[in-house]
Amino acid sequence: MKIDIVSVFPEYFDVLNLSLFGKAQAKGLVEVHAHNLRDWTHDVHHSVDDTPVGGGAGMVMKPEVWAECLDELLGLDSSTSESTTEVDDVSTDSTAAPVLIFPNPSAPLFTQRDATELSHADHLLFGCGRYEGYDARIPEYYRAQGVDVREYSIGDYVLNGGEVAVSVMLEAITRLLPGFMGNADSIVEESYTGANALLEHRQYTKPAQWRGISVPDVLLSGDHGKVDRFRRDEALARTNEIRPDLIERLDCASLDKADRKT
Ligand SMILES: Nc1ccc2ncsc2c1
Protein backbone atom coordinates (compact mmCIF):
# COMPACT_ATOMS: atom_id res chain seq x y z
CA MET A 1 0.00 0.00 0.00
CA LYS A 2 1.24 3.44 -0.98
CA ILE A 3 0.38 6.22 1.46
CA ASP A 4 0.77 9.93 0.76
CA ILE A 5 0.12 12.43 3.53
CA VAL A 6 -0.06 16.19 2.91
CA SER A 7 0.36 18.50 5.90
CA VAL A 8 1.92 21.82 6.90
CA PHE A 9 3.62 19.75 9.61
CA PRO A 10 4.93 16.71 7.68
CA GLU A 11 7.53 16.07 10.39
CA TYR A 12 4.59 15.08 12.61
CA PHE A 13 4.64 11.77 10.72
CA ASP A 14 8.31 10.97 11.36
CA VAL A 15 6.92 8.64 14.06
CA LEU A 16 5.78 6.32 11.25
CA ASN A 17 9.40 5.31 10.78
CA LEU A 18 9.38 3.66 14.22
CA SER A 19 7.94 0.47 15.72
CA LEU A 20 5.48 -1.68 13.79
CA PHE A 21 4.99 0.92 11.07
CA GLY A 22 8.73 1.24 10.58
CA LYS A 23 9.03 -2.55 10.29
CA ALA A 24 6.13 -2.64 7.82
CA GLN A 25 7.91 -0.08 5.65
CA ALA A 26 11.13 -2.09 5.84
CA LYS A 27 9.17 -5.20 4.77
CA GLY A 28 7.65 -3.29 1.85
CA LEU A 29 4.10 -3.68 3.18
CA VAL A 30 3.62 0.09 3.10
CA GLU A 31 5.37 2.98 1.38
CA VAL A 32 4.81 6.29 3.15
CA HIS A 33 5.51 9.79 1.83
CA ALA A 34 4.77 12.87 3.98
CA HIS A 35 4.60 16.07 1.92
CA ASN A 36 4.72 19.71 3.04
CA LEU A 37 1.76 21.58 1.55
CA ARG A 38 3.88 24.76 1.56
CA ASP A 39 6.07 23.19 -1.15
CA TRP A 40 3.23 24.06 -3.56
CA THR A 41 3.07 27.75 -2.63
CA HIS A 42 4.70 30.50 -4.68
CA ASP A 43 4.60 33.55 -2.43
CA VAL A 44 7.35 34.67 -0.11
CA HIS A 45 5.27 33.80 2.94
CA HIS A 46 4.30 30.35 1.62
CA SER A 47 0.67 31.17 2.41
CA VAL A 48 -1.77 28.27 2.62
CA ASP A 49 -4.77 30.01 4.18
CA ASP A 50 -6.92 33.11 3.93
CA THR A 51 -9.89 34.73 5.68
CA PRO A 52 -13.32 33.08 5.40
CA VAL A 53 -15.58 34.38 2.63
CA GLY A 54 -18.65 35.85 4.37
CA GLY A 55 -16.64 36.73 7.47
CA GLY A 56 -16.10 34.79 10.66
CA ALA A 57 -13.22 33.87 12.90
CA GLY A 58 -10.08 32.02 11.89
CA MET A 59 -8.60 31.17 8.53
CA VAL A 60 -9.53 28.70 5.79
CA MET A 61 -7.04 26.69 3.71
CA LYS A 62 -6.77 27.98 0.15
CA PRO A 63 -8.08 25.77 -2.69
CA GLU A 64 -5.39 26.86 -5.17
CA VAL A 65 -2.50 25.56 -3.08
CA TRP A 66 -4.25 22.28 -2.30
CA ALA A 67 -5.17 21.85 -5.96
CA GLU A 68 -1.59 22.26 -7.20
CA CYS A 69 -0.49 19.67 -4.66
CA LEU A 70 -3.34 17.20 -5.24
CA ASP A 71 -3.23 17.47 -9.04
CA GLU A 72 0.42 16.43 -8.88
CA LEU A 73 -0.03 13.61 -6.35
CA LEU A 74 -3.19 12.34 -8.06
CA GLY A 75 -1.61 12.48 -11.50
CA LEU A 76 -4.36 14.80 -12.75
CA ASP A 77 -3.68 17.23 -15.59
CA SER A 78 -5.51 20.35 -14.39
CA SER A 79 -5.13 22.03 -17.78
CA THR A 80 -7.52 19.50 -19.28
CA SER A 81 -9.33 18.85 -15.99
CA GLU A 82 -9.38 15.22 -16.97
CA SER A 83 -8.22 12.27 -14.99
CA THR A 84 -5.05 10.70 -16.34
CA THR A 85 -5.62 7.60 -14.25
CA GLU A 86 -8.52 5.19 -14.29
CA VAL A 87 -10.84 6.02 -11.40
CA ASP A 88 -12.16 3.03 -9.63
CA ASP A 89 -13.75 1.97 -6.37
CA VAL A 90 -11.31 1.01 -3.65
CA SER A 91 -9.10 -0.96 -5.94
CA THR A 92 -6.14 -3.18 -5.34
CA ASP A 93 -4.56 -2.80 -8.75
CA SER A 94 -1.32 -0.89 -8.80
CA THR A 95 -2.35 1.76 -11.33
CA ALA A 96 -5.62 2.80 -9.66
CA ALA A 97 -6.11 6.38 -8.54
CA PRO A 98 -5.73 6.81 -4.78
CA VAL A 99 -8.56 7.24 -2.32
CA LEU A 100 -8.38 10.89 -1.24
CA ILE A 101 -9.16 11.20 2.47
CA PHE A 102 -9.76 14.43 4.39
CA PRO A 103 -10.13 14.30 8.18
CA ASN A 104 -12.97 16.67 9.02
CA PRO A 105 -14.72 17.17 12.38
CA SER A 106 -17.97 17.87 10.50
CA ALA A 107 -17.92 14.58 8.59
CA PRO A 108 -19.30 11.08 9.30
CA LEU A 109 -17.52 9.09 12.03
CA PHE A 110 -14.66 6.88 10.88
CA THR A 111 -15.46 3.27 11.84
CA GLN A 112 -13.83 -0.15 11.80
CA ARG A 113 -15.88 -0.91 8.71
CA ASP A 114 -14.20 2.05 6.94
CA ALA A 115 -10.80 0.86 8.15
CA THR A 116 -11.46 -2.62 6.78
CA GLU A 117 -12.62 -1.29 3.42
CA LEU A 118 -9.68 1.09 3.08
CA SER A 119 -7.17 -1.62 4.06
CA HIS A 120 -7.84 -3.11 0.62
CA ALA A 121 -6.90 0.08 -1.23
CA ASP A 122 -3.66 0.23 -3.18
CA HIS A 123 -3.02 3.93 -2.61
CA LEU A 124 -4.31 6.32 0.06
CA LEU A 125 -3.79 10.09 -0.08
CA PHE A 126 -4.53 11.96 3.17
CA GLY A 127 -4.97 15.75 3.25
CA CYS A 128 -4.53 17.27 6.72
CA GLY A 129 -6.57 20.40 7.32
CA ARG A 130 -5.58 23.07 9.83
CA TYR A 131 -7.08 26.33 11.10
CA GLU A 132 -10.86 26.38 10.46
CA GLY A 133 -10.45 23.70 7.82
CA TYR A 134 -10.14 23.63 4.03
CA ASP A 135 -12.19 25.33 1.32
CA ALA A 136 -15.25 23.12 0.75
CA ARG A 137 -14.68 23.29 -3.04
CA ILE A 138 -11.59 21.09 -2.74
CA PRO A 139 -13.42 17.78 -2.09
CA GLU A 140 -16.25 18.94 -4.36
CA TYR A 141 -13.84 19.55 -7.27
CA TYR A 142 -12.04 16.22 -6.93
CA ARG A 143 -15.29 14.27 -6.64
CA ALA A 144 -16.32 15.97 -9.92
CA GLN A 145 -13.03 14.73 -11.40
CA GLY A 146 -14.11 11.20 -10.50
CA VAL A 147 -11.74 10.78 -7.55
CA ASP A 148 -12.94 8.64 -4.63
CA VAL A 149 -13.00 11.36 -1.95
CA ARG A 150 -13.78 10.51 1.68
CA GLU A 151 -14.21 12.88 4.65
CA TYR A 152 -14.16 11.43 8.17
CA SER A 153 -14.31 12.64 11.75
CA ILE A 154 -12.58 10.57 14.41
CA GLY A 155 -14.86 11.70 17.22
CA ASP A 156 -16.81 14.44 18.94
CA TYR A 157 -14.03 16.64 20.29
CA VAL A 158 -11.95 19.54 19.03
CA LEU A 159 -8.46 19.03 17.62
CA ASN A 160 -6.06 21.62 16.23
CA GLY A 161 -5.64 19.84 12.93
CA GLY A 162 -6.11 16.70 10.91
CA GLU A 163 -2.70 15.17 11.65
CA VAL A 164 -3.87 13.37 14.82
CA ALA A 165 -6.92 12.07 12.95
CA VAL A 166 -4.74 10.76 10.11
CA SER A 167 -2.55 8.93 12.64
CA VAL A 168 -5.63 7.26 14.14
CA MET A 169 -7.04 6.24 10.77
CA LEU A 170 -3.65 5.05 9.52
CA GLU A 171 -3.17 2.76 12.51
CA ALA A 172 -6.70 1.34 12.23
CA ILE A 173 -6.23 0.70 8.48
CA THR A 174 -2.66 -0.56 8.25
CA ARG A 175 -2.83 -2.96 11.20
CA LEU A 176 -5.28 -4.96 9.06
CA LEU A 177 -2.74 -5.44 6.26
CA PRO A 178 -1.58 -9.08 5.99
CA GLY A 179 1.82 -9.36 7.67
CA PHE A 180 1.59 -6.01 9.46
CA MET A 181 0.82 -7.44 12.92
CA GLY A 182 3.26 -10.04 14.21
CA ASN A 183 0.37 -12.27 15.28
CA ALA A 184 -2.48 -12.36 12.76
CA ASP A 185 -4.80 -13.81 15.44
CA SER A 186 -4.65 -10.54 17.34
CA ILE A 187 -6.79 -8.81 14.72
CA VAL A 188 -9.54 -11.43 14.81
CA GLU A 189 -11.23 -11.31 18.24
CA GLU A 190 -11.43 -7.60 18.84
CA SER A 191 -14.20 -5.09 19.43
CA TYR A 192 -15.88 -3.22 16.61
CA THR A 193 -15.13 -5.83 13.96
CA GLY A 194 -17.80 -7.26 11.71
CA ALA A 195 -21.54 -6.86 11.94
CA ASN A 196 -21.53 -8.00 15.57
CA ALA A 197 -19.33 -5.35 17.07
CA LEU A 198 -19.40 -5.73 20.83
CA LEU A 199 -17.07 -4.32 23.45
CA GLU A 200 -14.59 -6.94 24.52
CA HIS A 201 -14.93 -8.91 27.75
CA ARG A 202 -12.51 -7.96 30.54
CA GLN A 203 -9.05 -9.49 30.26
CA TYR A 204 -6.95 -10.94 33.12
CA THR A 205 -3.51 -12.50 33.39
CA LYS A 206 -1.58 -14.25 36.16
CA PRO A 207 -1.52 -14.25 39.17
CA ALA A 208 -5.09 -15.53 39.76
CA GLN A 209 -5.15 -13.61 43.07
CA TRP A 210 -3.58 -10.16 43.20
CA ARG A 211 -3.80 -7.72 46.16
CA GLY A 212 -6.90 -9.53 47.41
CA ILE A 213 -8.64 -9.46 44.03
CA SER A 214 -9.30 -12.77 42.25
CA VAL A 215 -10.02 -13.41 38.59
CA PRO A 216 -13.51 -14.84 37.89
CA ASP A 217 -13.50 -18.52 38.93
CA VAL A 218 -14.97 -19.70 35.63
CA LEU A 219 -11.79 -18.59 33.86
CA LEU A 220 -9.85 -21.09 35.99
CA SER A 221 -12.33 -23.94 35.33
CA GLY A 222 -10.67 -25.26 32.19
CA ASP A 223 -14.16 -25.60 30.70
CA HIS A 224 -13.75 -23.73 27.39
CA GLY A 225 -17.50 -23.81 26.74
CA LYS A 226 -18.25 -22.13 30.04
CA VAL A 227 -15.41 -19.63 29.54
CA ASP A 228 -16.69 -18.70 26.10
CA ARG A 229 -20.24 -18.30 27.42
CA PHE A 230 -19.01 -16.17 30.36
CA ARG A 231 -17.02 -13.92 28.02
CA ARG A 232 -19.90 -13.56 25.56
CA ASP A 233 -22.34 -12.70 28.35
CA GLU A 234 -19.93 -10.14 29.74
CA ALA A 235 -19.33 -8.60 26.31
CA LEU A 236 -23.08 -8.20 25.78
CA ALA A 237 -23.64 -6.80 29.29
CA ARG A 238 -20.72 -4.35 29.03
CA THR A 239 -21.82 -3.20 25.58
CA ASN A 240 -25.38 -2.71 26.76
CA GLU A 241 -24.17 -0.66 29.71
CA ILE A 242 -21.33 1.36 28.12
CA ARG A 243 -22.20 1.54 24.43
CA PRO A 244 -25.92 0.81 23.92
CA ASP A 245 -25.57 2.40 20.46
CA LEU A 246 -23.53 -0.63 19.39
CA ILE A 247 -26.34 -2.95 20.54
CA GLU A 248 -28.70 -1.17 18.14
CA ARG A 249 -26.35 -2.04 15.26
CA LEU A 250 -26.11 -5.72 16.21
CA ASP A 251 -27.06 -8.26 13.57
CA CYS A 252 -29.69 -9.97 15.75
CA ALA A 253 -29.85 -12.98 13.43
CA SER A 254 -26.39 -13.89 14.68
CA LEU A 255 -27.40 -13.86 18.37
CA ASP A 256 -27.77 -17.36 19.73
CA LYS A 257 -30.51 -18.48 22.17
CA ALA A 258 -28.29 -17.92 25.20
CA ASP A 259 -27.49 -14.40 23.95
CA ARG A 260 -31.16 -13.58 23.75
CA LYS A 261 -31.55 -14.43 27.45
CA THR A 262 -28.79 -11.96 28.42
N1 LIG B 1 -9.09 18.84 11.95
C1 LIG B 1 -9.85 17.76 12.40
C2 LIG B 1 -10.05 16.66 11.59
C3 LIG B 1 -10.80 15.58 12.03
C4 LIG B 1 -11.36 15.57 13.29
N2 LIG B 1 -12.12 14.58 13.90
C5 LIG B 1 -12.51 14.89 15.10
S1 LIG B 1 -11.93 16.44 15.60
C6 LIG B 1 -11.14 16.69 14.11
C7 LIG B 1 -10.39 17.79 13.68
Side-chain angles (χ1 to χ4, degrees):
M1 177 184 283
K2 181 178 179 183
I3 299 164
D4 285 300
I5 307 168
V6 180
S7 165
V8 292
F9 297 114
E11 64 279 4
Y12 179 93
F13 297 98
D14 288 354
V15 69
L16 297 179
N17 298 318
L18 307 175
S19 187
L20 273 179
F21 216 98
K23 291 189 177 82
Q25 289 192 78
K27 288 192 282 187
L29 290 174
V30 291
E31 173 194 338
V32 184
H33 303 277
H35 308 271
N36 189 332
L37 179 63
R38 297 191 194 277
D39 290 350
W40 282 273
T41 60
H42 305 289
D43 64 305
V44 67
H45 299 295
H46 301 293
S47 308
V48 296
D49 60 330
D50 203 336
T51 53
V53 170
M59 303 290 274
V60 176
M61 299 190 97
K62 297 161 66 74
E64 308 98 311
V65 180
W66 272 105
E68 279 205 35
C69 167
L70 296 176
D71 284 351
E72 181 178 329
L73 297 181
L74 288 165
L76 292 179
D77 176 354
S78 55
S79 61
T80 63
S81 289
E82 282 168 16
S83 166
T84 56
T85 49
E86 282 306 304
V87 180
D88 206 342
D89 291 338
V90 169
S91 163
T92 56
D93 83 50
S94 59
T95 59
V99 180
L100 175 55
I101 303 168
F102 289 104
N104 183 328
S106 303
L109 194 61
F110 181 77
T111 66
Q112 188 66 34
R113 188 183 300 274
D114 299 312
T116 302
E117 181 200 358
L118 291 169
S119 70
H120 298 291
D122 179 73
H123 185 181
L124 301 178
L125 170 46
F126 290 93
C128 298
R130 278 264 146 183
Y131 318 111
E132 294 309 307
Y134 45 82
D135 189 298
R137 290 169 293 181
I138 298 168
E140 179 184 337
Y141 172 80
Y142 286 99
R143 284 193 180 100
Q145 298 305 307
V147 177
D148 180 353
V149 181
R150 314 287 181 93
E151 294 176 278
Y152 296 113
S153 166
I154 61 163
D156 298 331
Y157 31 73
V158 181
L159 300 174
N160 293 328
E163 287 79 10
V164 171
V166 168
S167 299
V168 167
M169 290 190 277
L170 262 183
E171 174 149 333
I173 293 165
T174 57
R175 66 187 300 279
L176 300 174
L177 296 175
F180 189 95
M181 300 294 287
N183 173 8
D185 295 344
S186 65
I187 65 172
V188 174
E189 185 188 338
E190 285 198 342
S191 301
Y192 310 107
T193 52
N196 303 312
L198 288 175
L199 299 186
E200 276 204 319
H201 52 77
R202 280 173 286 206
Q203 297 278 16
Y204 304 90
T205 184
K206 296 185 283 295
Q209 285 77 35
W210 172 74
R211 293 193 176 183
I213 309 169
S214 299
V215 303
D217 290 338
V218 65
L219 299 181
L220 304 170
S221 66
D223 182 329
H224 296 300
K226 283 185 178 173
V227 170
D228 289 346
R229 183 71 262 163
F230 170 84
R231 285 173 166 171
R232 176 76 177 175
D233 289 349
E234 185 177 74
L236 279 165
R238 295 187 82 216
T239 307
N240 196 39
E241 179 193 348
I242 301 166
R243 287 290 305 277
D245 58 299
L246 294 178
I247 293 283
E248 288 151 25
R249 293 208 315 243
L250 264 184
D251 170 8
C252 294
S254 70
L255 292 175
D256 62 32
K257 250 190 287 183
D259 285 341
R260 295 174 200 280
K261 289 182 186 139
T262 300

